Amino acid sequence: MSSTTTLTEVHWFFACKTDDVPLNGGVCVKYKEEQIALFHFSRREEWYATQNMCPHKHQMALSRGMIGTQNGEPKVACPFHKKTFSLEDGRCLSDDAECSLKTYPVKIEEDRVYIGFYGGFDKLSLTSV
Amino acid sequence: MKVVVIGNGMVGYKFCEKLVAKFEPGTYSLTVFGEEPRPAYDRVHLSEFFSGKSAVDLLMAPANWYADNNITLHTGDPVKEINREQKTILSHKGLIVDYDYLVLATGSAAFVPPIPGVDKKGVFLYRTIEDLEMMTAHASKAKRGAVIGGGLLGLEAAKAMIDLGVTDTHVIEFAPRLMPRQIDDSGSKILQSKLETLGLTIFTNKNTSCITGDESITGMQFSDGTSIDVDMLVISAGIKPRDELAKAAGLETGPRGGIVVNEKMQTTDETIFAIGECALFNSMIYGLVAPGYEMAEVVVATLSAAEKAFSGFDMSTKLKLIGVDVASFGDPFVPATDCRTVVFEDTMKGVYKRINISTDGKYLLGGVLIGDAAAYNMLLQTTKNKVALPENPEDILLGSRGGDAPQGAGVAGLPADAVICSCEGITKGAICTAVEAGNETLDSVKKCTKAATCCGGCAPMVKDIITYTLKSQGKYIRNVVCEHFNYSRQELYDLIRIKKIKSYDDVLDELGHGDGCEVCKPVVASILASLWNEMILVKGNDTAQDSNDRYLANIQKGGTYSVVPRIPGGEITPEKLIVIGEVAKKYNLYTKITGGQRIDLFGAHVSDLPAIWEELIAAGFESGHAYGKALRTVKSCVGSTWCRFGLHDSVSFAIQIEERYRGLRAPHKIKSAVSGCIRECAEAQSKDFGIIATERGWNLYVGGNGGSKPQHAILLAADLDNETCIKYIDRFLMFYIKTADPLTRTATWLNKLEGGMDYLRNVVINDSLGINAELEAEMQSLVDNYKCEWKEVVDNPELRKRFNHFVNAPEEKDPSIQFEMMRDQKKAAGWG
Ligand SMILES: Cc1cc2nc3c(=O)[nH]c(=O)nc-3n(C[C@H](O)[C@H](O)[C@H](O)COP(=O)(O)OP(=O)(O)OC[C@H]3O[C@@H](n4cnc5c(N)ncnc54)[C@H](O)[C@@H]3O)c2cc1C
Ligand code: SF4
Ligand code: FES
């Protein structure tokens, strides 16, 4: 059951207070040398986190993008060229499927927002375990 | 073959056009006598004379068309006499011309009831351009008007009076209801209350007994003892066929006028034909152009020895211009015993619809539509083509309930040979073929087929057929906003306004579904800003803004922003220039002069934006809205203050205009410019609205564009004073804001606007939609609500917080941002 063990190894990083994040919008969180885009999709009472860098032209911009849905699937649109990415699995919904986003779990405790990173403090993705 | 035509009206002209098309040149001679001073013009659109069309615009064909086609045209020379023995005619000027065939197309004159006083000054008819010229001259002095006659033409004349500025106008109808010949009682009542809301006063059952006043009219007295004061009167009490010439020549005429003709349009002399409004066929005068054109066709066929007969004509009508839809088609008055009637009535909205269905429920016989005649063409075609009705015939009136009927679905059921444009006799098949050949807009279909070029009544249906054909080719273009809103931008705009909704979330809850997206969010956010002009970053609307609007700055390569303070008219003091320089130095910004005569500061970190603006605002700057779909700049040339050619002070006017419309949110950005003379140094004609000084004021141009598809602006109005110019701009901009699709510049909007510049001019200048007061008031409230949004951010710590790059490290800047050096300034590093 390697995948369950991985999940138990999630490290929860305190990002900010819930009301630091605009309703139905995003902020950028600094995690070590990384930038994470954190979204509060308040219409759906959902939280999402992805990498902040847009894979298209490598711009640190996704946290400033508009969020919304496409056929019910939550997504974010990059402010630069409006490419859209699924907030659920990070896949690019626009055209080129190969560039996708890393996504992270989010949990809320009281008014505190935590972003989960796998494998202790390392950036391990689920598939590599 | 020698053919002489008497009368150069619409039908007389059409006859010439058809004859020329049918016969080889040299096989005939054609001579035309017209009583009016000018060649035939479009009487159907006579009222457009008041909305800026000139007599020349209205001509059916230019004067040289006749000569070019070997037609001898004598205008201003009525025929006095026909000599049937000798087969000659004698004109007023003394010309004698012999004929093999004579065509009478003398039309009709307005019927003037024998009321004492009809000859007073200020009493007019409504039939010729001269009538309208005289009305225009008189209207400037008139305050209260009246129209005798509540029929089709009378109501058109009444609307014309309002357009002429005689807003206090009465309609006096002898019958117990308006349009007694076309619509039924209930329909008339609804129509009457609709017209009353337009400002008309309506009297029915009123018989005018005399017109009072010395030389000029001052009032009217009625047989019931009442009276009113008026200083202008139009008589539109019916038409009287011009049969005097025929009568004198011994041809048979009807007891109430009209030249009797058979099905070949021959009079009792078989070499003499009568067509148009002077002809009496089966005891009936056909007072519309379409049957007149058909008669012309019959005569041309007969002359070419072809078999064609006139067999009566559909007299369905739709009223133009009045601001209220009114239509009747087929037989509106079938007695209840001979049909089933379905009636829909909504007195609140002023809508009345009635259809008469054959007793077996299979066919539509006719009906009346008031308040909403969108279905007119469809119902007319269904009647004329005997299209079998659906199982629930009321569906064609009420629309099938449940499930959206696809747009233009109705035309699919029509046979290919259904005549869509009855004026020109164009069938559905011909229109489809034109669309398939690549004519995909109404304009190009009009050019290619001539459909909808005459009375224009079939234009909506032609559009439906275009849509239908495109769709069947898989080319259908949806213009709803996105998957979350089943509305076009214009519909959304109206709904949000009516429901007074102020936030994106509420709009989505009330009018949309799902959770929104990057397409509908900025559209709705922009509508909200256009409607209410509230701070765009409050009420949760911040996250519905496009990124540039959300950060009130333009995002640039690398993730930094640019800052553009407003510099109205491009005028700036040395002190302010120094401030810009100092701010740029302090925050390490790249500076460049823009094409709109201001200064752009690039390379600002998002977290520096509030501090930068704090300093700029302290020095008297305000937001330039370079980031918004909003008014950008009003460029100006130096004008009369310095330039030796300048006629007026273009800089002052540009500043006034820029300050009026600053912050105005629109479907797309708006640019403007003011030039001090015709040399046009400010390039005003390349702007959404541009102003050029003339000797007598300002010329206002609209719909210009630079960018990738440059287009020159078109003159909207000339020689305006400052106030009128601003009034027209108010109306133009508001009308654009209300009706344009998202991200559509004024040029594209105007190109797509049906009726184009003429229509726009009619709306903005002649108030043809009756909305100008509303447009001005809306603009004024936007102007009054203006606040610099950057000042609001600078003064509000909560809003300022949103400009930090890291939510959990507010003092840190984005470390990934990199610059390179070039010509002593920085530039963004290349795309990663
Ligand atoms: C304001 C207005 C709006 C209308 N709107 C519509 C509409 O929406 N739809 C519609 O179908 N119809 C409409 N009509 C009716 C339409 O204009 C007429 O049906 C059409 O013009 C008839 O054409 P005609 O050639 O028979 O007559 P006319 O256009 O009247 O032409 C007859 C011409 O013959 C000339 N003439 C007469 N006697 C002599 C002579 N002895 N010698 C030489 N010349 C002579 C007259 O001066 C005139 O110029 C409207 C009419 C008016 C006035
Ligand atoms: S447009 Fe005319 S007034 Fe303005 S600068 Fe040019 S020449 Fe002078
Ligand atoms: S950089 Fe994000 S879409 Fe191009």
Side-chain angles (χ1 to χ4, degrees):
Chain A
M1 298 286 273
S2 68
S3 65
T4 22
T5 25
T6 330
L7 283 176
T8 55
E9 286 170 36
V10 166
H11 159 72
W12 290 104
F13 174 77
F14 168 63
C16 60
K17 297 285 193 60
T18 47
D19 60 7
D20 287 333
V21 187
L23 299 181
N24 296 305
V27 291
C28 175
V29 175
K30 183 175 155 85
Y31 169 66
K32 301 202 266 103
E33 294 315 309
E34 273 188 80
Q35 300 194 16
I36 311 294
L38 170 68
F39 301 99
H40 183 193
F41 207 147
S42 49
R43 261 192 91 79
R44 299 162 63 97
E45 273 318 319
E46 289 165 356
W47 289 80
Y48 294 98
T50 67
Q51 68 190 53
N52 191 34
M53 188 175 69
C54 176
H56 175 226
K57 292 283 181 188
H58 300 254
Q59 301 290 306
M60 286 296 186
L62 291 174
S63 61
R64 298 178 203 164
M66 271 181 274
I67 57 175
T69 55
Q70 177 171 322
N71 299 320
E73 179 170 7
K75 62 170 180 175
V76 58
C78 174
F80 275 88
H81 311 96
K82 292 269 162 69
K83 293 207 185 293
T84 56
F85 301 89
S86 161
L87 288 173
E88 269 164 3
D89 59 12
R91 103 191 166 278
C92 182
L93 301 172
S94 299
D95 34 26
D96 33 326
E98 73 253 35
C99 67
S100 57
L101 303 181
K102 250 183 294 172
T103 58
Y104 305 89
V106 181
K107 79 171 179 191
I108 311 294
E109 277 173 11
E110 310 272 291
D111 61 346
R112 295 164 69 83
V113 187
Y114 297 87
I115 303 175
F117 297 92
Y118 296 104
F121 284 70
D122 283 318
K123 314 177 260 175
L124 285 177
S125 67
L126 264 172
T127 42
S128 67
V129 180
Chain B
M1 178 177 72
K2 286 181 229 153
V3 182
V4 173
V5 180
I6 307 181
N8 187 221
M10 296 186 76
V11 175
Y13 162 79
K14 203 57 161 192
F15 172 79
C16 297
E17 191 189 278
K18 288 180 188 285
L19 188 87
V20 167
K22 190 87 177 187
F23 286 86
E24 288 296 316
T27 61
Y28 61 89
S29 83
L30 184 53
T31 310
V32 181
F33 285 86
E35 174 189 63
E36 294 188 64
R38 54 177 64 79
Y41 52 89
D42 184 354
R43 208 178 298 287
V44 168
H45 291 108
L46 195 62
S47 297
E48 289 180 14
F49 189 71
F50 293 133
S51 49
K53 282 229 170 146
S54 67
V56 173
D57 292 336
L58 287 172
L59 286 184
M60 303 289 293
N64 60 346
W65 178 85
Y66 298 88
D68 291 350
N69 286 287
N70 286 318
I71 300 169
T72 315
L73 173 65
H74 303 283
T75 50
D77 191 8
V79 171
K80 301 292 282 181
E81 215 178 281
I82 304 169
N83 186 334
R84 287 168 55 197
E85 315 266 89
Q86 316 245 300
K87 293 203 160 192
T88 57
I89 61 95
L90 167 67
S91 84
H92 178 74
K93 290 186 182 157
L95 293 175
I96 296 177
V97 180
D98 55 345
Y99 64 83
D100 298 324
Y101 296 102
L102 182 63
V103 178
L104 301 172
T106 47
S108 60
F111 167 68
V112 183
I115 303 168
V118 284
D119 51 352
K120 292 197 193 307
K121 269 200 192 153
V123 180
F124 301 93
L125 302 176
Y126 199 69
R127 176 111 199 143
T128 64
I129 289 186
E130 283 69 34
D131 291 335
L132 270 61
E133 284 171 346
M134 291 189 290
M135 279 173 70
T136 314
H138 187 82
S140 56
K141 294 169 282 169
K143 293 196 178 58
R144 301 188 68 196
V147 174
I148 294 186
L152 208 63
L153 291 186
L155 295 180
E156 202 173 313
K159 177 65 171 32
M161 296 272 260
I162 295 181
D163 288 347
L164 280 172
V166 188
T167 42
D168 186 3
T169 286
H170 304 252
V171 174
I172 293 138
E173 170 59 51
F174 176 68
R177 61 167 194 258
L178 294 174
M179 297 184 68
R181 257 168 303 164
Q182 288 89 3
I183 60 181
D184 61 359
D185 249 335
S186 324
S188 277
K189 280 207 195 85
I190 298 252
L191 173 63
Q192 178 162 347
S193 55
K194 275 261 183 181
L195 293 175
E196 281 163 353
T197 62
L198 286 182
L200 292 172
T201 310
I202 295 179
F203 294 139
T204 51
N205 278 321
K206 273 261 188 244
N207 194 357
T208 312
S209 53
C210 105
I211 294 163
T212 54
D214 292 334
E215 204 181 317
S216 299
I217 175 173
T218 55
M220 301 167 68
Q221 281 175 4
F222 305 108
S223 55
D224 59 6
T226 56
S227 63
I228 55 171
D229 293 338
V230 289
D231 46 18
M232 180 165 179
L233 171 66
V234 175
I235 298 184
S236 177
I239 55 171
K240 196 167 87 352
R242 301 274 309 261
D243 58 4
E244 64 275 6
L245 207 53
K247 213 178 211 161
L251 300 173
E252 187 187 344
T253 55
R256 276 178 295 145
I259 307 164
V260 173
V261 292
N262 62 15
E263 75 287 347
K264 298 216 173 296
M265 310 320 293
Q266 281 161 321
T267 63
T268 40
D269 179 335
E270 60 178 27
T271 59
I272 304 182
F273 298 85
I275 56 177
E277 274 189 350
C278 62
L280 188 69
F281 174 78
N282 255 345
S283 309
M284 173 140 176
I285 294 285
Y286 290 85
L288 295 174
V289 282
Y293 287 2
E294 173 75 6
M295 295 176 185
E297 178 77 38
V298 170
V299 176
V300 171
T302 306
L303 293 182
S304 64
E307 277 301 313
K308 188 166 171 75
F310 187 75
S311 56
F313 208 87
D314 186 82
M315 293 298 278
S316 306
T317 40
K318 193 170 163 195
L319 190 57
K320 326 171 286 281
L321 274 173
I322 191 87
V324 181
D325 280 358
V326 181
S328 79
F329 57 94
D331 185 349
F333 304 122
V334 189
T337 46
D338 297 343
C339 74
R340 285 164 46 189
T341 299
V342 180
V343 173
F344 168 84
E345 189 167 351
D346 181 342
T347 40
M348 276 287 290
K349 288 199 187 128
V351 175
Y352 172 83
K353 302 178 186 183
R354 161 183 169 164
I355 50 173
N356 305 320
I357 299 166
S358 60
T359 37
D360 59 8
K362 283 212 180 108
Y363 301 107
L364 190 57
L365 303 174
V368 177
L369 304 170
I370 315 281
D372 170 14
Y376 167 73
N377 282 294
M378 198 55 232
L379 296 176
L380 172 63
Q381 295 298 333
T382 309
T383 310
K384 283 210 299 201
N385 294 294
K386 291 213 165 20
V387 176
L389 290 176
E391 204 174 324
N392 301 312
E394 63 273 19
D395 282 357
I396 62 167
L397 194 58
L398 306 173
S400 60
R401 283 134 297 160
D404 296 359
Q407 206 190 333
V411 294
L414 293 175
D417 60 358
V419 175
I420 305 297
C421 172
S422 47
C423 299
E424 296 287 343
I426 311 297
T427 61
K428 172 183 161 188
I431 296 168
C432 293
T433 313
V435 176
E436 280 155 13
N439 301 287
E440 298 184 351
T441 63
L442 181 61
D443 268 346
S444 58
V445 169
K446 271 168 135 177
K447 275 207 194 90
C448 162
T449 64
K450 277 195 150 191
T453 52
C454 185
C455 75
C458 61
M461 188 155 221
V462 174
K463 269 207 269 181
D464 278 353
I465 295 177
I466 297 171
T467 310
Y468 152 82
T469 316
L470 287 177
K471 202 171 150 192
S472 56
Q473 295 177 305
K475 284 196 194 160
Y476 184 49
I477 307 128
R478 257 164 60 96
N479 70 348
V480 301
V481 172
C482 69
E483 66 176 71
H484 305 104
F485 289 95
N486 222 343
Y487 297 108
S488 67
R489 179 185 176 277
Q490 183 177 355
E491 290 163 339
L492 263 186
Y493 181 100
D494 289 335
L495 288 166
I496 295 173
R497 187 179 59 125
I498 293 162
K499 294 179 176 264
K500 299 201 167 44
I501 315 177
K502 307 258 167 116
S503 77
Y504 172 78
D505 264 331
D506 292 344
V507 174
L508 189 54
D509 287 340
E510 286 207 36
L511 303 171
H513 38 84
D515 301 309
C517 68
E518 75 283 359
V519 176
C520 57
K521 283 185 172 184
V523 170
V524 171
S526 150
I527 292 175
L528 290 169
S530 291
L531 276 172
W532 318 120
N533 207 3
E534 293 183 329
M535 169 62 189
I536 63 171
L537 301 184
V538 299
K539 299 197 174 156
N541 290 336
D542 52 342
T543 50
Q545 306 292 341
D546 244 326
S547 179
N548 285 353
D549 269 318
R550 181 166 166 204
Y551 293 95
L552 305 177
N554 292 43
I555 195 163
Q556 306 290 357
K557 218 164 133 180
T560 61
Y561 287 84
S562 64
V563 169
V564 188
R566 188 168 295 291
I567 301 178
E571 182 185 85
I572 187 164
T573 60
E575 289 73 21
K576 280 181 146 182
L577 263 181
I578 290 168
V579 171
I580 290 187
E582 280 169 347
V583 168
K585 244 170 138 174
K586 177 162 169 192
Y587 294 93
N588 185 22
L589 307 174
Y590 165 86
T591 53
K592 184 174 188 310
I593 312 257
T594 71
Q597 300 186 333
R598 36 196 200 173
I599 299 170
D600 207 338
L601 311 172
F602 288 84
H605 288 275
V606 68
S607 52
D608 284 341
L609 288 172
I612 291 172
W613 274 105
E614 191 162 18
E615 294 191 28
L616 289 171
I617 285 167
F621 286 102
E622 55 182 1
S623 168
H625 297 94
Y627 44 82
K629 306 291 177 227
L631 177 84
R632 297 285 171 87
T633 67
V634 182
K635 190 172 166 180
S636 72
C637 76
V638 72
S640 61
T641 46
W642 292 94
C643 176
R644 65 203 157 104
F645 298 113
L647 293 171
H648 307 307
D649 182 357
S650 47
V651 180
S652 298
F653 201 36
I655 293 175
Q656 187 188 349
I657 288 172
E658 182 155 347
E659 290 185 340
R660 181 170 181 80
Y661 302 114
R662 63 189 165 187
L664 179 72
R665 290 294 203 294
H668 212 309
K669 62 187 171 192
I670 306 170
K671 296 181 176 180
S672 176
V674 184
S675 281
C677 82
I678 192 66
R679 288 168 187 76
E680 248 282 68
C681 297
E683 297 166 334
Q685 288 165 97
S686 66
K687 306 297 182 192
D688 294 277
F689 63 99
I691 299 162
I692 302 175
T694 68
E695 298 281 349
R696 275 170 295 168
W698 305 101
N699 279 358
L700 174 59
Y701 296 79
V702 299
N705 202 351
S708 60
K709 269 203 223 128
Q711 182 169 324
H712 272 140
I714 310 173
L715 183 67
L716 178 73
D719 297 329
L720 304 171
D721 57 33
N722 290 23
E723 245 166 64
T724 315
C725 189
I726 286 181
K727 203 155 74 180
Y728 286 175
I729 301 170
D730 276 6
R731 297 172 183 176
F732 161 72
L733 289 176
M734 249 3 262
F735 188 51
Y736 159 67
I737 289 172
K738 282 171 108 91
T739 58
D741 278 337
L743 302 181
T744 307
R745 288 288 295 270
T746 57
T748 320
W749 168 75
L750 189 54
N751 293 347
K752 280 202 224 154
L753 189 70
E754 200 193 313
M757 193 59 194
D758 287 333
Y759 180 74
L760 179 67
R761 207 176 275 134
N762 218 350
V763 171
V764 170
I765 300 180
N766 303 309
D767 203 6
S768 61
L769 299 178
I771 55 171
N772 282 350
E774 190 184 313
L775 296 179
E776 284 170 38
E778 283 167 352
M779 180 61 85
Q780 194 55 48
S781 101
L782 294 181
V783 170
D784 295 342
N785 266 342
Y786 166 80
K787 289 200 193 86
C788 170
E789 48 208 18
W790 260 116
K791 184 161 184 340
E792 292 180 71
V793 170
V794 165
D795 294 344
N796 180 331
E798 266 311 298
L799 291 177
R800 276 184 91 134
K801 207 173 97 179
R802 298 282 183 228
F803 288 81
N804 295 332
H805 181 68
F806 290 117
V807 65
N808 55 345
E811 58 303 322
E812 281 182 45
K813 298 193 169 139
D814 179 355
S816 71
I817 289 175
Q818 281 168 11
F819 300 110
E820 290 161 9
M821 288 304 285
M822 193 173 156
R823 287 189 297 278
D824 299 333
Q825 292 201 71
K826 68 181 187 184
K827 73 175 181 96
W831 291 117

